[in-house]
Amino acid sequence: MDIRHEAHRTGPMPDATRPSLDALRKLTLPAPLALDCGESLEEVEIAYETWGELNADRTNAVLVCHALTGDQYPAGPNPLTGRGAWWPRLIGPGKPVDTRRFHVIATNVLGGCMGTTGPASSRPDGRPWGTDFPVITIADMVRAQRAFVDALGIDSLFCVLGGSMGGMQVMEWAVQAPEKVFCALPIASTARHSAQNIAFYEVGRQAIMADPDWCEGHYIARGRRPDRGLAVARMAAHITYVSESALKRKFDRDLQDRAATSFSFDADFQIESYLRHQGRSFVDRFDANSYLYVTRAMDYFDLGAAHGGRLANAFAGSPVRFCLFSFSSDWHYPPAEAMELTRALVAAGVDVSHIEIETDKGHDAFLLEEPGFEAAVAGFLDASARQRGLAG
Amino acid sequence: MSARADHIAIVSRIPAGARVLDVGCGDGELLGLLRESKGVDARGLELSSDLAGKALARGLSVIQGDADSDLDIFPDDSFDVAILSKAIQQMRDPAHVLSQLGRIAPEVLVSFRNLGRWPRRLQLLSKGRMPAPPLWHDSDALHPCTASDMVSLARELGLTTQAMAPVDDGVVGKFRNGGLVRLNWSADEVILHLSR
């Protein structure tokens, strides 16, 4: 599998009609999925991809959980968007998550828009869900993944790893099914969405819902798309994924293709042009309602509150080996929040490691070149695999 | 690779199967030795992320953190033994760190450079210059001290010195319960075995 870094390539999706998702690899869950909100979903489809061979004992499976805007293609190109693997430095032959040693599985989350059942999918009667889709939680996403992994005939996972919202799923896996996870790597994540996190995502949701093309959530049935609102949502969120020092290093107040400010509202500054590009390229590959549902799931995530108000209770007696990573300049999910999770895991008597990587790349550092991070992941996984009896 | 003499001496003081926290564990060499020879439950705290990453690759559990501020994440008596090897003089608040170790574990092993050794006393007396190699402002020891200073601090914090041993030129002497005056006069480095 060729996994060259192609993250900045934009996909061939220029028009308003979404290409068919039917070509993607999918599995339909054998039973209805009960949700936290009290409703249940029938015939849930999970879109997924795999790399590397499953061993005879079925003990070398690694589940990769994606972030808010990610998909099931961490280690290979997305055939629909043409975008390259989003974790090419971490997963692949000879990489820290070595596909010659591990069977890597990635799914699109419940509520997502890359083939898994979500608000852009059709109801049993054929009409698109839109905002009639039930509100889902991170725990629901993990329940769907668990049913999916069961359906694959895999009893336990060697490892679950993921960054940002993917890290929330990792924690939730360890809480829901500690006996099925040997080691867990929550990366650049938090056990609890802060007021600031909720605030930024609420700005994004309001931008989407203020777009007249949103049509109260039923734009698919009306043949429209709230691209402007979704682009603004992406722009606002993107600011929180990068650090002030990285913005200064890359853009500062530099002007975009001009010698002086234009006394207009054009994108005079490079940072404006960059953010507009981020917004524009995002709407080609993401569904606005999915953005509402998935950000809501993150807002509702509070592991401690879900366990009697004490985070340590969520992990009491857990046999899972944890390894947390945080990044010094991440102000979206700051290292202090990873340290709080570490404190809870220590209090619960769980085997935990936590490394804070020094970087100026902000929250997105987990997706970028960070040799210290990559080496530490490789070391932890190799040592854990030897403890699990997996050949090198 | 042969193990360091001071590491072997520390290993000799730790019971098999103990829960051990090594504060300032570096790349995990001592913890690795403890796990292999004593089967301990080995955990580390390390300030440098590069070194912590190397300890991870040994299969050890390590938390990257600052002993001056992060020891409060460990509950009371969450370990049987806490180790602070050649690091206490680098702490901003050695008394706080030592009292935290005594809270986390009933037994504490601490090793450090002994400023009380006679040539060091003589240098200060005769030349009027600090015996901090190579230069006083280059030394990473923020709080140089003598063996007697450390035993006295431990006592103030409610920790009893069970045994002490000198380390000279990489050779560890016998652990004894007593002989502090002589040790303070002659030892290059000192290992103290403290308990509540």
Side-chain angles (χ1 to χ4, degrees):
Chain A
M1 180 72 60
D2 185 0
I3 52 155
R4 276 171 303 176
H5 187 49
E6 300 178 297
H8 296 293
R9 200 170 121 191
T10 50
M13 294 177 59
D15 63 4
T17 53
R18 294 186 64 81
S20 166
L21 296 158
D22 296 342
L24 304 181
R25 209 170 161 192
K26 290 182 191 176
L27 182 150
T28 304
L29 297 185
L33 187 71
L35 304 173
D36 277 335
C37 67
E39 296 182 40
S40 86
L41 282 170
E42 313 263 340
E43 305 263 305
V44 171
E45 287 192 311
I46 304 291
Y48 70 104
E49 195 47 79
T50 65
W51 295 266
E53 298 292 319
L54 187 61
N55 65 8
D57 299 342
R58 302 184 159 245
T59 52
N60 69 333
V62 172
L63 180 70
V64 179
C65 302
H66 70 72
L68 165 60
T69 67
D71 57 27
Q72 65 273 36
Y73 300 101
N78 181 324
L80 220 63
T81 65
R83 290 164 57 91
W86 51 262
W87 233 349
R89 298 183 57 85
L90 209 71
I91 310 172
K95 299 286 166 63
V97 183
D98 191 342
T99 49
R100 296 174 307 199
R101 190 180 200 181
F102 304 121
H103 177 58
V104 173
I105 306 167
T107 69
N108 183 217
V109 293
L110 183 69
C113 52
M114 199 46 72
T116 292
T117 298
S121 312
S122 296
R123 286 184 257 214
D125 65 8
R127 288 178 302 145
W129 275 104
T131 41
D132 291 334
F133 193 73
V135 169
I136 49 149
T137 62
I138 300 290
D140 291 331
M141 293 176 185
V142 170
R143 284 184 197 107
Q145 287 166 353
R146 286 173 55 204
F148 163 79
V149 168
D150 283 347
L152 291 184
I154 294 171
D155 285 337
S156 73
L157 298 167
F158 163 63
C159 174
V160 184
L161 82 160
S164 197
M165 184 184 82
M168 297 178 185
Q169 295 160 63
V170 173
M171 293 172 223
E172 189 64 43
W173 259 95
V175 169
Q176 285 188 25
E179 72 290 351
K180 289 180 183 284
V181 178
F182 186 76
C183 62
L185 288 89
I187 298 160
S189 195
T190 181
R192 178 178 186 270
H193 236 211
S194 68
Q196 190 183 49
N197 295 141
I198 295 168
F200 273 104
Y201 284 126
E202 172 61 3
V203 169
R205 286 189 294 266
Q206 288 298 329
I208 290 167
M209 293 189 282
D211 187 327
D213 285 332
W214 183 59
C215 306
E216 303 303 313
H218 297 289
Y219 50 87
I220 294 177
R222 309 248 179 102
R224 292 159 78 177
R225 278 182 13 167
D227 285 349
R228 285 167 299 170
L230 181 59
V232 172
R234 174 63 169 172
M235 290 165 75
H238 191 82
I239 300 167
T240 71
Y241 304 152
V242 290
S243 69
E244 156 64 8
S245 62
L247 283 183
K248 185 172 167 59
R249 173 165 54 77
K250 283 166 79 175
F251 306 110
D252 199 11
R253 292 178 54 84
D254 295 350
L255 299 179
Q256 180 71 28
D257 303 327
R258 63 198 69 189
T261 50
S262 66
F263 293 94
S264 76
F265 296 105
D266 283 353
D268 278 350
F269 296 99
Q270 285 184 10
I271 178 62
E272 292 175 299
S273 172
Y274 170 77
L275 276 184
R276 289 182 189 192
H277 169 75
Q278 288 293 328
R280 255 196 322 272
S281 56
F282 183 60
V283 299
D284 288 340
R285 66 181 176 92
F286 214 86
D287 174 63
N289 280 338
S290 241
Y291 197 87
L292 301 182
Y293 279 88
V294 177
T295 57
R296 203 62 181 146
M298 290 194 288
D299 287 350
Y300 283 180
F301 190 64
D302 183 349
L303 262 188
H307 292 84
R310 187 167 175 265
L311 187 54
N313 290 348
F315 302 103
S318 174
V320 180
R321 293 192 79 212
F322 272 85
C323 186
L324 282 61
F325 288 92
S326 59
F327 297 89
S328 58
S329 54
D330 182 352
W331 61 280
H332 191 67
Y333 301 136
E337 294 187 8
M339 202 59 174
E340 277 312 300
L341 177 59
T342 304
R343 179 191 300 270
L345 288 163
V346 167
V350 176
D351 187 340
V352 55
S353 297
H354 169 213
I355 294 188
E356 178 186 328
I357 302 293
E358 187 68 33
T359 175
D360 84 336
K361 293 177 189 150
H363 181 62
D364 271 350
F366 81 92
L367 294 167
L368 303 172
E369 181 175 356
E370 287 290 349
F373 163 61
E374 291 150 19
V377 170
F380 175 78
L381 283 182
D382 176 57
S384 299
R386 280 185 276 115
Q387 288 180 14
R388 185 79 175 93
L390 297 175
Chain B
M1 196 173 69
S2 61
R4 278 165 44 183
D6 59 329
H7 283 178
I8 293 170
I10 288 171
V11 169
S12 76
R13 306 298 296 182
I14 292 176
R19 297 170 299 162
V20 177
L21 175 68
D22 185 4
V23 176
C25 68
D27 67 2
E29 188 183 345
L30 173 58
L31 282 174
L33 185 64
L34 275 165
R35 192 181 49 184
E36 283 151 33
S37 58
K38 292 289 181 81
V40 304
D41 178 353
R43 311 286 174 103
L45 185 76
E46 171 56 42
L47 188 60
S48 147
S49 61
D50 282 347
L51 290 174
K54 287 180 178 152
L56 268 190
R58 288 180 191 259
L60 298 165
S61 300
V62 57
I63 292 169
Q64 191 207 342
D66 183 344
D68 269 309
S69 53
D70 294 328
L71 284 171
D72 66 349
I73 71 168
F74 299 105
D76 296 359
D77 285 316
S78 46
F79 291 91
D80 300 311
V81 186
I83 302 169
L84 189 61
S85 172
K86 299 188 186 181
I88 193 159
Q89 295 175 349
Q90 282 76 10
M91 301 297 157
R92 288 189 299 276
D93 188 347
H96 171 73
V97 170
L98 198 56
S99 76
Q100 284 281 339
L101 295 183
R103 176 187 66 76
I104 292 166
E107 312 250 336
V108 179
L109 286 159
V110 53
S111 76
F112 56 92
R113 183 169 178 270
N114 172 33
L115 213 78
R117 191 185 201 191
W118 68 267
R120 293 171 187 152
R121 299 190 199 190
L122 192 61
Q123 179 179 332
L124 186 56
L125 183 66
S126 62
K127 296 187 180 157
R129 302 291 299 268
M130 284 295 286
L135 293 163
W136 66 272
H137 53 86
D138 269 356
S139 168
D140 62 354
L142 304 177
H143 297 284
C145 68
T146 69
S148 295
D149 287 333
M150 192 66 75
V151 167
S152 167
L153 174 63
R155 191 186 306 120
E156 284 170 30
L157 297 170
L159 296 169
T160 310
T161 303
Q162 295 294 327
M164 53 191 103
V167 185
D168 292 298
D169 294 329
V171 178
V172 182
K174 263 206 160 80
F175 274 92
R176 294 177 199 281
N177 183 2
L180 176 61
V181 172
R182 186 168 165 210
L183 188 83
N184 196 35
W185 180 257
S186 61
D188 177 19
E189 289 170 23
V190 172
I191 305 172
L192 297 182
H193 186 160
L194 310 171
S195 67
R196 255 185 241 149

